[in-house]
Amino acid sequence: KNGSQFTGELLRNSIHNYGSLIFADGRKYVGEFSGEEMCGYGVLEWKFDDFHHDENNICRYKGTFFKNMFHGRGLLEFWGGGCYEGGFEYGLYHGLGEFTFGVDRNSSNSLSCSDSEKKFNGVSSDDNSEKLILHSYTGELQEGQMSGKGTLKFMDGSYYEGGFFIC
């Protein structure tokens, strides 16, 4: 259908059980299917964008799917070196999980602070840098966001441990 290529099992001319699907937009999936949907364990790969033409421009999810969505446990590897391992519910981060952020100091995983306020929820930056660079988050997630108990660690060794709430 629609320019995609499937290799694998068919039942009554429909995708069934296990196979490999290359979508028209370049995404690649190898894994289990049910009712022509990604369902069960599988691996999905896609390009982050078309502007970075290196081999590290790939995002990858290894885990369980339900109705074409990340659902259950999985490992999501981000372009640039970061990853998330933990629970998903209907395509959103959910339950217990751990984010490890990439090391690009210019990326969006940094929190800007003014010169007079080098703190994040009581965590001070030991150096006099303008930013606290995130290293990792381990804890509870709900509806795709940090929510509940967790630990947020920064590259300078400081951390915040406590509650996170959806605003």
Side-chain angles (χ1 to χ4, degrees):
K1 290 181 184 179
N2 60 21
S4 299
Q5 297 175 344
F6 175 75
T7 304
E9 297 180 40
L10 296 175
L11 179 65
R12 294 185 196 98
N13 231 13
S14 293
I15 295 173
H16 180 72
N17 203 17
Y18 187 86
S20 171
L21 181 61
I22 300 174
F23 296 87
D25 64 7
R27 291 175 295 145
K28 298 174 186 173
Y29 174 78
V30 177
E32 299 175 316
F33 291 88
S34 178
E36 294 209 356
E37 295 180 322
M38 295 180 288
C39 192
Y41 183 81
V43 177
L44 179 66
E45 292 184 349
W46 65 97
K47 280 188 173 184
F48 175 71
D49 64 30
D50 290 327
F51 300 107
H52 297 86
H53 298 289
D54 61 23
E55 56 190 58
N56 296 324
N57 185 20
I58 301 294
C59 296
R60 180 180 298 111
Y61 173 77
K62 301 175 189 175
T64 54
F65 289 81
F66 179 70
K67 296 189 179 245
N68 293 327
M69 294 179 280
F70 305 160
H71 192 82
R73 300 260 329 145
L75 171 64
L76 179 56
E77 299 169 312
F78 303 107
W79 172 80
C83 69
Y84 168 77
E85 186 167 13
F88 289 88
E89 188 172 271
Y90 301 107
L92 299 174
Y93 309 118
H94 192 84
L96 295 176
E98 179 176 6
F99 282 97
T100 303
F101 300 97
V103 294
D104 181 0
R105 293 187 162 269
N106 295 317
S107 71
S108 60
N109 64 336
S110 59
L111 297 174
S112 296
C113 300
S114 67
D115 287 333
S116 62
E117 183 184 50
K118 300 265 195 269
K119 294 187 176 189
F120 174 77
N121 288 343
V123 177
S124 296
S125 176
D126 290 336
D127 61 17
N128 290 321
S129 65
E130 293 280 327
K131 297 179 178 181
L132 292 173
I133 310 297
L134 297 176
H135 175 268
S136 63
Y137 171 78
T138 304
E140 299 172 340
L141 298 115
Q142 186 177 32
E143 298 174 7
Q145 299 181 38
M146 296 181 289
S147 180
K149 294 180 183 178
T151 302
L152 192 60
K153 294 181 181 177
F154 299 92
M155 294 297 280
D156 68 358
S158 60
Y159 66 93
Y160 167 77
E161 188 172 43
F164 293 83
F165 305 96
I166 298 174
C167 298

